[in-house]
Amino acid sequence: MKYFRVLIILGLLIIIPLLLFTNLKTATPESVDQHKILTANQHGVLTVDLPKIRTGADQINEYLPYLKDKKVGLLVNTSSIIENTSLVDSLLSHNVNIKYIFGPEHGFRSNAGNGVSIKDEVDPTTGIPIISLYGGTRKPTKKQMDELDLIVFDIQDVGCRFFTYINKLYDIMEACAENNKELIILDRPNPNGYVDGPVLDMKLKSGIGKFPIPITHGMTMGEFAQMINGEGWLPNKAKCKIRVISLKNYTHSTYYELPVSPSPNLNTQPSIMLYPSLCLFEGTIISQGRGTYMPFTVLGNPKLKDQYTFSFTPKSIPGMSTSPLHMDKTCYGIDLRDYDIKQLLETKKINLKWLIEFYKNYPDKEKFFDKSQSSQMGDFDKLAGTVNLKKQIINGVSEEEIRASWEPELSKYKVMREKYVIYE
């Protein structure tokens, strides 16, 4: 019996580490707060808890010493939290001297709709000036930078080329490099941590595509900042002095449920996970649910009544979408609110089947990609990052052939990315 117990103990010592390692690679939605693994016990299973993900902001003792006696600027919004407390409030409670708060698209309070220009203001509670970097000014002025010793960047991204927070990271890095100021990046998980899609043709460079990267770039903000520096993307190949406060207990395959919506129209976890696939529809005549409280989880158009039974009606919603596509018209299409979003993490691919399906079913195909039909439609080629995808959809090219056309650029990007990743 004694030898039998020894064998059991030795077996568990071998099995538990192996399962721990495996779980880090295959975390599921159950692991939002902590990873769980199963090992054998007398009842068949034993739950072992591992530490929960800790964001850069959570690790305040790692960066607070750098802020002491400094004049600090913050580039933040409502996603910038420590547990349930605003980063601004937390730093003020530690007597950090915050001179300016800079706000990205949607504003410091994340309550402005997409594309809405935001004005500067003064926070009524703290008296701190709030400077909008989404309107007349894209980066802090020299006068503002002269009043600062460093800037802290803490914004939740969703890992997509056309989500504009990576552009704002670039802008603040440019300002810091020009003025010889350090940028501290409080890293946060990328909920869409996989790499997929066509790499941007830089002839199509725009505000929704600024870098030669695929639709889902598979990087956190800390990693992306290292890529901006390393690839010489700043003007004159300047380098920004950055300090990344890295995540704990995180890998790119770890499922992460955002505690705060990163923007008004990404207001649920399914919308965040579906965004890389559904945002392409912004360059079509198909509504993605803007003007509803379920954006980026539904697709539809008034002319599809004969093909689909599910329906929704876009309305003007202040703070989300004031004049959405097909406003006050009943749209017919599909409801993806219950879609198994784990599939996207498991396959590590954006979904092209919906785009192919809706083009096939839309009766007036000449107007499917015609942005002149509505001022609300975006430029499909700029969203896709290539002129080829539209042509391929029109010509009935298969999904497999479309994906094959993204090579070799996609594989080259993956090799480049490896130089800058911090996490597995």
Side-chain angles (χ1 to χ4, degrees), residues 261-329:
S261 299
S263 69
N265 285 289
L266 294 182
N267 58 354
T268 64
Q269 187 69 12
S271 68
I272 292 163
M273 304 297 292
L274 290 167
Y275 179 72
S277 303
L278 268 56
C279 192
L280 289 170
F281 282 93
E282 297 220 276
T284 75
I285 204 68
I286 305 299
S287 168
Q288 324 81 47
R290 288 190 186 273
T292 73
Y293 290 101
M294 48 190 179
F296 292 104
T297 58
V298 296
L299 293 169
N301 180 280
K303 292 187 177 182
L304 293 173
K305 186 175 182 178
D306 294 337
Q307 289 90 342
Y308 301 97
T309 57
F310 170 74
S311 66
F312 59 92
T313 304
K315 301 286 185 180
S316 178
I317 303 177
M320 290 184 70
S321 186
T322 54
S323 54
L325 182 66
H326 307 310
M327 185 167 68
D328 298 325
K329 297 178 182 179

Side-chain angles (χ1 to χ4, degrees), residues 282-394:
E282 297 220 276
T284 75
I285 204 68
I286 305 299
S287 168
Q288 324 81 47
R290 288 190 186 273
T292 73
Y293 290 101
M294 48 190 179
F296 292 104
T297 58
V298 296
L299 293 169
N301 180 280
K303 292 187 177 182
L304 293 173
K305 186 175 182 178
D306 294 337
Q307 289 90 342
Y308 301 97
T309 57
F310 170 74
S311 66
F312 59 92
T313 304
K315 301 286 185 180
S316 178
I317 303 177
M320 290 184 70
S321 186
T322 54
S323 54
L325 182 66
H326 307 310
M327 185 167 68
D328 298 325
K329 297 178 182 179
T330 302
C331 295
Y332 299 88
I334 60 176
D335 183 357
L336 296 170
R337 284 173 290 178
D338 293 327
Y339 181 77
D340 183 7
I341 54 178
K342 288 186 293 182
Q343 290 184 38
L344 298 169
L345 287 177
E346 291 165 0
T347 62
K348 299 185 184 300
K349 294 178 180 179
I350 60 174
N351 189 306
L352 293 176
K353 291 182 174 62
W354 298 316
L355 186 61
I356 293 170
E357 173 188 333
F358 272 84
Y359 179 79
K360 181 179 178 181
N361 289 339
Y362 192 69
D364 194 354
K365 290 180 173 46
E366 289 186 0
K367 295 180 179 179
F368 189 83
F369 295 104
D370 185 1
K371 64 181 180 180
S372 67
Q373 296 301 307
S374 170
S375 61
Q376 301 304 306
M377 288 175 57
D379 188 309
F380 184 86
D381 290 342
K382 289 180 179 178
L383 284 164
T386 173
V387 298
N388 295 326
L389 183 56
K390 181 197 296 183
K391 296 175 183 177
Q392 291 165 330
I393 298 296
I394 292 172

Side-chain angles (χ1 to χ4, degrees), residues 42-201:
Q42 68 268 31
H43 301 296
V45 294
L46 172 67
T47 300
V48 179
D49 293 341
L50 291 178
K52 67 178 182 180
I53 292 173
R54 296 189 66 207
T55 67
D58 289 338
Q59 303 167 67
I60 193 165
N61 291 333
E62 293 292 321
Y63 56 91
L64 197 58
Y66 299 114
L67 309 184
K68 186 178 180 181
D69 301 324
K70 299 287 198 315
K71 292 174 288 185
V72 177
L74 302 179
L75 179 44
V76 291
N77 61 9
T78 53
S79 71
S80 313
I81 57 173
I82 300 175
E83 297 296 338
N84 296 317
T85 304
S86 160
L87 178 69
V88 174
D89 291 341
S90 293
L91 294 183
L92 288 175
S93 71
H94 285 86
N95 299 314
V96 173
N97 181 12
I98 302 174
K99 298 287 292 183
Y100 290 106
I101 295 172
F102 299 102
E105 182 180 9
H106 308 297
F108 165 58
R109 296 182 179 85
S110 302
N111 59 358
N114 59 298
V116 174
S117 182
I118 303 164
K119 296 180 179 179
D120 297 345
E121 58 180 317
V122 175
D123 183 68
T125 303
T126 64
I128 300 173
I130 300 174
I131 308 300
S132 171
L133 300 183
Y134 197 82
T137 305
R138 69 175 180 87
K139 63 181 180 179
T141 65
K142 186 178 188 310
K143 180 178 181 298
Q144 291 161 355
M145 294 298 293
D146 286 343
E147 296 179 56
L148 300 174
D149 294 313
L150 55 80
I151 291 181
V152 175
F153 179 99
D154 181 28
I155 292 179
Q156 177 65 61
D157 190 47
V158 298
C160 295
R161 182 181 64 223
F162 33 63
F163 200 61
T164 62
Y165 293 159
I166 55 173
N167 296 354
K168 202 47 59 184
L169 173 64
Y170 172 95
D171 292 339
I172 206 71
M173 288 179 65
E174 180 181 336
C176 286
E178 288 172 346
N179 294 277
N180 195 29
K181 307 290 183 179
E182 183 175 20
L183 179 65
I184 296 179
I185 299 171
L186 307 183
D187 220 0
R188 291 185 176 273
N190 177 354
N192 294 297
Y194 59 96
V195 177
D196 196 34
V199 173
L200 174 69
D201 179 347

